[in-house]
Amino acid sequence: MGELTEKQKAQALKTAKSLSNDKLRDMYTKMNHVRAFEDKVAYFFSRGMVHGTTHLYSGEEATAIGALANLDDEDLMTSTHRGHGHTIGKGIDLKKMMAELLGKESGYCRGKGGSMHIADLTRGNLGANGIVGGGIPIATGAGITLKLRNEGRVVVCFFGDGALNEGTFHESVNLASIWDLPVIYICENNQYGMSFSAKKSMNVDDLSVRAKAYGIPGVTVDGNDIFAVYEAVKKAKKHALKTGPYFIVSETYRFMGHSKSDANKYRSKEEIAEWKDRDPIPRMRAILVETGQFTDSELDAIEEQCKQDIEEAVKFAENSADPSVDSILDDVFAPSN
Amino acid sequence: MREITYAEAIREAMSEEMRRDESVFFFGEDIGIYGGAFGVSVGMIDEFGAERVRDTPISEAAIIGAAAGAAVSGSRPIAEIQFSDFISIGMDQLGNQAAKMRYMFGGHAEVPMVVRAPAGSGTGAAAQHSQSQEAWYCHIPGLKVVIPSTPYDAKGLLKTSIRDNNPVVFLEQKLLYRKKGEVPEEEYTIPLGKADIKREGSDLTIVTWGRMVSMVLEVADSLKEQFSIEVLDPRTLVPLDRDAIVNSARKTGHVLVVHEAVQTGGYGGEIVATVADSDAFYYLDAPVKRLGGLDIPIPYNPELERNAVPTPEKIEQAIRDLMA
Ligand SMILES: Cc1ncc(C[n+]2csc(CCOP(=O)(O)OP(=O)(O)O)c2C)c(N)n1
Ligand SMILES: [Mg+2]
C-alpha cells in the first residue's frame, strides 16, 4: 500500500538523479526539519507549554518542500494556518521561528503573531494566515507586482481543500487567469477541512477539474511523493512565467488532529494508518538510497542533525526575552512622510 | 438551582427551540459530529439529524447569505460562524442583504435569522481569531446585537433571538463557554432590549457587557469598602435599554463604560452619548469615562494579549481616577 507505483518510482528515481547531492540534501533536511519541528510543537502543546493553538503539517511535508525546491529567495509565497512546512520550505531561521511560537521578542513577529502569522518578507514569505482562503487574493496581488516588474519571478500560493469553497478562491483564480499572472495555486488536499471531508464538501472527485472553469491548466499529484510534487511545480513554474496561472492539487494527509483539540471522531484509525504507511519521508529516503546518491548512515546523520537543530532552536527561544509591554502600541502603522 | 455551563445553556436554547418549532434549523462549519469548534453543539446531530443540523463547507459568505435566503422564504435558521472574526467574509450578506431587506421592501419581508459566533480575546489565538467587533454590527440599522454574559442570559436571550423576526447577531464569549451558572430547568425567555443590573450601587455606574461583566463585578466587590458600585449589563446593544442607563446615571452621578472591543469607534461611545444626551447630564459629578481595548490588533504573546484589553488593574485605576 505504501509503495510508489512502478511508473511513479521510475520517475522518482529519474528526478532524483537529475538533482545534485547538495540539492537533495537540502530537501531531505527540510523534510526532517519540518517533522522534528512539529514533533516538538506537539510536545509543547501536549504539556500546555504554549499558549493558543497550532496546526501541524506532519505527513504533508513533501508538498511544501517539493514545491518550494523550485523557488529562489526572490520568488514569493503565501501560506496558511498550517504553515510551518511552507515556512521552512521557503527558507527560514529556525531559531526565530521557534521563538515566535513561544511568543518571544526575538521571534519573526516579535511575539505579536504566533504560529498562524509567521512571515519573512526578506525571503519572499508573505505570511501564514488565520483566515481560510485569506492568502489566495494576496498571492494574486503579488502576482500583479511580479507581472508589472517582469523579473522572471513567480508566486506560489498554498491553501487547503477547505479553502476551495471560499469565494476568494474563485475570484482570485479568475483574476489571475484573465491577467495571465505568474501564480501557482497549490491546493493541499489533506482530505479534510477540519472535520468535514473533501468528499462531502464538494461533488467532484478530482479537484483539479476546477481549473477548467478558469481556463487554466490543472493537475493532480501524489503529494506524498516529493519528486512528483517537484516535477509538477517545475512544469507549473515554466508555464506561469510564460503563460499564466497554474493549478495543482496535491493529494496528502495530515497525521495529527486538525489543531490542538481534536478527538478525530470524523476519521477512522484504519484510514490514518493507511496514510501513515505512505509517509513521505521514508518514501524519499528509499529513493535516495536506491539511486546510490546517499547511504543509510548519511541519511541517519541528517535526521539526527535535524533533531539537534530543533533542540538548538528551542534553547534559543527559551533563553529569549518576552516582548516588553511597552512595545504593545508599536507597529500598527508604518511611518510615512 | 442547577448549574450548567454557558455552552450547555446555548445548546439547550437551540435544542428547545428546534423541538418547539419545525422551521428552525441549524448550520455552520464542523457543527455536526465534531460538535462545533467550542463543543457547543455536541450531540445535536444525533437528536435532530443531518437535515436540521447541517455541516457546511468553509463558505461564510454563503452561510450568512443562505441564512438570509432561508429566513425570507419561511425558515428560521441559526447560522454558526466558527469565530466572529469570520463574519466579515459574509458581511455583504449580513449588512447589505439580511439587515436591509425588510426596510427596502417597504416592510413586506421578515428575516428571522440568528448568526451565532464566538468573540473575544484571551485564548492565544492572535489577531484574526480574537476580536470583539460588536460596534460594526450595531452600526447597521436592521440588525439586533446580543452579547450574553452568563449562562442564564445566554439561554434566555438566545431563545428570544430565535423567535425574533429579524436578523440577530448573537456574540458568544469564548472565555465564558466553560463557566457555570444557575439556569432553571423550567422554560423562560429574556426580552431583547432589557438591561440587567448585575450589582446594585449608589456611587458609580459601570456599564459593561460580555466577559468584562464578571471582571468588573470582581473589581467592584474588591472595592466595596470604598465605593458602592452599580454594574449594569445592557445584554443587548441593539436594541439598547437607554432608560436603564440614564436612570442609573441619574442615581449615581458617575458613569464608566468598560468593554473589551477597541476603544476608538467602540460602542462605549454610544453609551457615553446616551448619558450626555439625556437629562442625567445634569446629575453628573464627573465626566463620563470609557475604558476599552487598546487601538491595536490582538497580539499573540500572553502578557501583551492580556494588556491589550481592560484588566482588573486598569479597571480599578479607571474607577479611582473617576472618583478622585
Ligand atoms: C474564514 C475561515 N473560516 C473558518 C476558519 C476555521 N478553520 C481554520 S482551519 C479550518 C479548516 C481548513 O481546512 P483546509 O483549508 O482544508 O486546510 P487544512 O486545515 O486541512 O490544512 C477551519 C474551518 C478559519 N480560520 N477561517
Ligand atoms: Mg484540508
Side-chain angles (χ1 to χ4, degrees):
Chain A
M1 163 115 283
E3 298 293 305
L4 297 176
T5 62
E6 280 307 310
K7 196 170 153 217
Q8 219 180 339
K9 187 171 163 191
Q11 181 58 54
L13 291 167
K14 200 169 144 204
T15 302
K17 283 187 206 145
S18 76
L19 294 168
S20 71
N21 273 27
D22 281 350
K23 183 76 187 173
L24 291 169
R25 177 186 302 279
D26 180 56
M27 289 163 74
Y28 194 67
T29 300
K30 284 177 169 161
M31 296 280 277
N32 282 282
H33 271 154
V34 178
R35 184 65 57 89
F37 190 91
E38 301 300 53
D39 284 347
K40 188 51 90 178
V41 175
Y43 168 80
F44 282 154
F45 272 93
S46 70
R47 304 284 300 266
M49 290 161 71
V50 190
H51 161 78
T53 192
T54 194
H55 308 85
L56 303 177
Y57 199 65
S58 315
E60 306 185 35
E61 293 89 345
T63 300
I65 308 305
L68 294 167
N70 287 285
L71 265 58
D72 298 318
D73 276 359
E74 292 70 38
D75 293 313
L76 304 178
M77 171 191 88
T78 61
S79 165
T80 67
H81 57 285
R82 197 174 303 289
H84 302 162
H86 313 135
T87 303
I88 289 173
K90 192 72 180 70
I92 191 101
D93 179 340
L94 290 167
K95 294 188 166 122
K96 288 171 69 178
M97 185 177 170
M98 188 62 86
E100 188 55 39
L101 252 100
L102 300 194
K104 302 297 181 140
E105 171 71 26
S106 59
Y108 267 101
C109 316
R110 305 179 60 200
K112 284 181 170 153
S115 165
M116 270 191 291
H117 302 294
I118 296 177
D120 180 1
L121 290 128
T122 65
R123 274 190 265 216
N125 176 352
L126 304 182
N129 212 306
I131 302 297
V132 170
I136 310 176
I138 307 290
T140 306
I144 302 175
T145 299
L146 299 193
K147 178 94 182 166
L148 290 172
R149 296 203 178 160
N150 195 20
E151 291 165 344
R153 296 151 69 194
V154 296
V155 191
V156 165
C157 174
F158 290 106
F159 48 88
D161 46 292
L164 281 178
N165 296 318
E166 286 285 11
T168 52
F169 170 77
H170 165 77
E171 297 178 28
S172 303
V173 179
N174 184 60
L175 205 66
S177 170
I178 60 167
W179 289 344
D180 304 328
L181 303 179
V183 185
I184 305 165
Y185 295 96
I186 303 182
C187 173
E188 300 177 307
N189 181 15
N190 62 6
Q191 318 301 321
Y192 294 88
M194 209 160 144
S195 68
F196 206 39
S197 72
K199 297 235 168 347
K200 287 187 187 157
S201 68
M202 287 170 273
N203 264 338
V204 281
D205 286 329
D206 175 4
L207 304 182
S208 73
V209 300
R210 285 204 171 187
K212 281 210 181 85
Y214 310 103
I216 67 170
V219 297
T220 296
V221 290
D222 179 340
N224 285 16
D225 172 359
I226 189 167
F227 300 106
V229 175
Y230 177 83
E231 289 293 347
V233 176
K234 187 172 158 191
K235 195 166 158 203
K237 186 177 172 187
K238 275 204 194 108
H239 181 90
L241 289 172
K242 219 171 110 215
T243 315
Y246 200 98
F247 182 46
I248 296 174
V249 177
S250 187
E251 295 288 335
T252 184
Y253 201 77
R254 65 171 153 71
F255 287 173
M256 317 270 211
H258 166 72
S259 63
K260 81 168 174 193
S261 42
D262 181 349
N264 273 320
K265 281 196 262 179
Y266 51 87
R267 52 185 198 171
S268 68
K269 284 204 183 65
E270 294 71 33
E271 183 184 286
I272 299 173
E274 252 174 50
W275 278 93
K276 282 196 170 165
D277 223 26
R278 289 175 221 153
D279 188 330
I281 295 180
R283 274 180 162 193
M284 177 176 186
R285 186 181 163 116
I287 297 291
L288 297 183
V289 173
E290 187 156 341
T291 61
Q293 286 161 295
F294 290 84
T295 64
D296 274 312
S297 62
E298 283 171 318
L299 296 172
D300 286 344
I302 292 176
E303 288 176 21
E304 195 42 48
Q305 182 62 46
C306 286
K307 286 186 191 138
Q308 275 179 34
D309 293 342
I310 299 303
E311 291 305 327
E312 292 288 313
V314 170
K315 241 186 252 156
F316 171 84
E318 287 179 342
N319 291 328
S320 293
D322 279 319
S324 152
V325 174
D326 295 337
S327 73
I328 197 166
L329 297 174
D330 295 353
D331 298 324
V332 176
F333 293 106
S336 321
N337 303 322
Chain B
M1 201 188 293
R2 71 166 180 159
E3 293 204 341
I4 59 173
T5 66
Y6 188 89
E8 286 162 348
I10 292 164
R11 185 187 314 143
E12 275 194 6
M14 287 196 286
S15 298
E16 285 178 16
E17 292 307 301
M18 286 178 72
R19 281 175 212 133
R20 161 177 185 276
D21 181 350
E22 277 289 313
S23 67
V24 179
F25 74 94
F26 173 38
F27 69 141
E29 294 161 15
D30 307 289
I31 62 163
I33 177 145
Y34 197 95
F38 294 88
V40 171
S41 55
V42 167
M44 285 181 66
I45 193 163
D46 301 327
E47 176 176 355
F48 298 102
E51 283 283 310
R52 289 181 76 200
V53 174
R54 288 175 176 259
D55 268 321
T56 67
I58 308 171
S59 309
E60 291 79 11
I63 295 169
I64 294 175
V72 76
S73 57
S75 299
R76 302 188 85 86
I78 306 167
E80 175 172 309
I81 298 296
Q82 203 164 78
F83 284 75
S84 65
D85 313 64
F86 316 149
I87 291 176
S88 52
I89 296 167
M91 202 65 184
D92 168 66
Q93 292 295 326
L94 187 65
N96 281 328
Q97 314 297 340
K100 295 182 173 50
M101 265 186 209
R102 180 172 181 82
Y103 188 85
M104 290 190 302
F105 299 169
H108 295 301
E110 279 181 2
V111 189
M113 60 183 267
V114 179
V115 175
R116 288 182 37 242
S121 65
T123 65
Q128 296 171 339
H129 286 74
S130 305
Q131 299 169 86
S132 299
Q133 297 178 315
E134 60 267 22
W136 292 30
Y137 320 119
C138 291
H139 205 60
I140 301 174
L143 296 182
K144 296 189 178 181
V145 181
V146 180
I147 308 185
S149 67
T150 65
Y152 178 85
D153 288 351
K155 182 169 178 189
L157 290 166
L158 183 53
K159 285 171 70 85
T160 310
S161 299
I162 295 168
R163 295 181 198 182
D164 198 282
N165 288 330
N166 298 282
V168 177
V169 180
F170 193 88
L171 295 169
E172 299 165 8
Q173 304 284 291
K174 267 170 241 159
L175 286 191
L176 298 183
Y177 277 134
R178 308 270 159 260
K179 292 264 175 349
K180 285 194 164 181
E182 291 190 342
V183 176
E185 312 257 3
E186 320 69 75
E187 153 132 60
Y188 67 97
T189 57
I190 299 172
L192 306 188
K194 184 130 183 35
D196 187 37
I197 307 283
K198 292 279 193 261
R199 183 183 200 282
E200 290 203 25
S202 52
D203 296 339
L204 161 67
T205 300
I206 302 183
V207 180
T208 188
W209 53 87
R211 88 162 157 112
M212 287 294 134
V213 171
S214 56
M215 195 184 281
V216 167
L217 285 171
E218 276 169 33
V219 175
D221 281 342
S222 73
L223 297 177
K224 66 171 181 286
E225 307 302 331
Q226 295 150 71
F227 310 111
S228 164
I229 299 176
E230 178 141 303
V231 179
L232 186 151
D233 176 0
R235 302 193 290 197
T236 70
L237 301 184
V238 179
L240 180 64
D241 190 348
R242 294 185 199 266
D243 289 346
I245 295 168
V246 169
N247 289 339
S248 181
R250 242 195 242 129
K251 177 171 82 173
T252 64
H254 293 92
V255 180
L256 170 67
V257 188
V258 177
H259 61 59
E260 180 173 344
V262 165
Q263 180 157 315
T264 301
Y267 204 66
E270 185 59 34
I271 307 288
V272 173
T274 297
V275 176
D277 260 358
S278 75
D279 73 354
F281 178 80
Y282 302 108
Y283 295 76
L284 292 177
D285 295 324
V288 185
K289 288 284 183 194
R290 286 178 296 169
L291 176 65
L294 299 177
D295 291 343
I296 56 172
I298 298 294
Y300 171 66
N301 173 279
E303 199 47 25
L304 296 194
E305 180 181 22
R306 200 179 78 83
N307 279 283
V309 299
T311 58
E313 305 87 76
K314 290 194 217 178
I315 295 167
E316 179 174 340
Q317 193 57 51
I319 293 169
R320 292 192 185 282
D321 290 348
L322 182 56
M323 301 305 287

